[in-house]
Amino acid sequence: DAGVTQSPTHLIKTRGQQVTLRCSPKSGHDTVSWYQQALGQGPQFIFQYYEEEERQRGNFPDRFSGHQFPNYSSELNVNALLLGDSALYLCASSSVSGASRTDTQYFGPGTRLTVL
Amino acid sequence: AQSVTQPDIHITVSEGASLELRCNYSYGATPYLFWYVQSPGQGLQLLLKYFSGDTLVQGIKGFEAEFKRSQSSFNLRKPSVHWSDAAEYFCAVGVHGSSNTGKLIFGQGTTLQVKP
């Protein structure tokens, strides 16, 4: 049973560029949440997708956007990158429907984004 | 507003000694509570969770945690620490919604160092 997967593992961008990060949820899960973890900090909630719609959003600017596909996988897009966007981006999956319902979020290994 | 406080930023214990990591939360309703562990450069692994019922919950790797509503605490314990337990530990409260998984609010984390 594959867990949550994320790609790429590492990414280096320059200020002003745009980046797309990808996440595939755990088998049987239908909800994807994204978190940003700055160095030495706890993860902070960016947003959550279910049924291809953004359901909740944390305190992040509109430069951060996302998408969920019919197969439940998700993308996180960040435009006009700033130095402060350098962080580990974590994807977590869970399920709100049917027998797989769980309020527990399972995390992927993360994507390390460095903005120069 | 919901929040999680981990008062100890860094803890050092000797291998074989007991461990207690503190976690205090602020949440208006009955909380969902979690402990996750993160090894350097890795994602988050779920250690244990509390949703309801027995206030003492058992997790993986010999960890347990006790929910104390009167103290708004959810402290993590292990009777005998192993060198492989050295990692970053995060306490989180789940802000759950009626129709979605909800978001996690994390504490700042506690770094555990284990002395041989």
Side-chain angles (χ1 to χ4, degrees):
Chain A
D1 177 20
V4 180
T5 59
Q6 292 186 243
S7 63
T9 305
H10 296 87
L11 208 49
I12 299 175
K13 293 285 187 178
T14 57
R15 281 177 297 173
Q17 286 190 311
Q18 179 264 344
V19 68
T20 297
L21 310 182
R22 295 176 176 82
C23 171
S24 291
K26 187 177 169 66
S27 178
H29 286 184
D30 55 20
T31 300
V32 172
S33 304
W34 286 93
Y35 293 81
Q36 181 195 65
Q37 186 180 19
L39 200 61
Q41 304 294 317
Q44 290 201 315
F45 176 76
I46 302 174
F47 43 53
Q48 184 179 89
Y49 277 83
Y50 170 63
E51 291 186 325
E52 303 180 46
E53 290 188 11
E54 183 182 292
R55 299 293 177 165
Q56 289 193 82
R57 189 178 183 91
N59 189 25
F60 279 80
D62 292 344
R63 298 187 297 108
F64 289 76
S65 63
H67 189 78
Q68 185 179 34
F69 299 93
N71 67 352
Y72 308 119
S73 67
S74 176
E75 289 182 347
L76 164 65
N77 301 292
V78 187
N79 294 323
L81 285 167
L82 304 174
L83 295 179
D85 295 331
S86 294
L88 180 68
Y89 288 84
L90 295 164
C91 168
S93 76
S94 54
S95 178
V96 299
S97 59
S100 298
R101 164 138 194 146
T102 175
D103 287 300
T104 300
Q105 295 187 27
Y106 294 89
F107 284 81
T111 294
R112 173 71 63 186
L113 173 64
T114 302
V115 182
L116 302 176
Chain B
Q2 306 95 354
S3 65
V4 176
T5 302
Q6 295 180 245
D8 305 306
I9 295 176
H10 193 109
I11 282 184
T12 300
V13 300
S14 298
E15 190 169 16
S18 63
L19 171 70
E20 182 170 32
L21 302 183
R22 295 183 292 164
C23 172
N24 294 98
Y25 68 90
S26 174
Y27 186 58
T30 301
Y32 288 1
L33 295 163
F34 305 84
W35 276 98
Y36 287 89
V37 61
Q38 185 177 39
S39 298
Q42 302 297 312
L44 302 176
Q45 181 183 20
L46 178 70
L47 284 177
L48 48 76
K49 61 188 177 185
Y50 171 80
F51 285 176
S52 64
D54 192 348
T55 56
L56 184 63
V57 293
Q58 303 297 319
I60 62 171
K61 304 184 179 186
F63 285 93
E64 66 177 25
E66 186 171 13
F67 169 58
K68 293 185 177 180
R69 185 187 300 276
S70 62
Q71 298 177 20
S72 297
S73 69
F74 189 56
N75 294 349
L76 182 71
R77 301 193 293 249
K78 186 170 185 178
S80 178
V81 170
H82 188 263
W83 64 266
S84 61
D85 294 324
E88 185 88 15
Y89 290 80
F90 291 96
C91 180
V93 62
V95 181
H96 46 280
S98 59
S99 60
N100 55 58
T101 299
K103 63 182 179 183
L104 293 175
I105 296 175
F106 286 87
Q108 290 284 83
T110 296
T111 301
L112 173 64
Q113 183 179 1
V114 180
K115 292 190 302 183

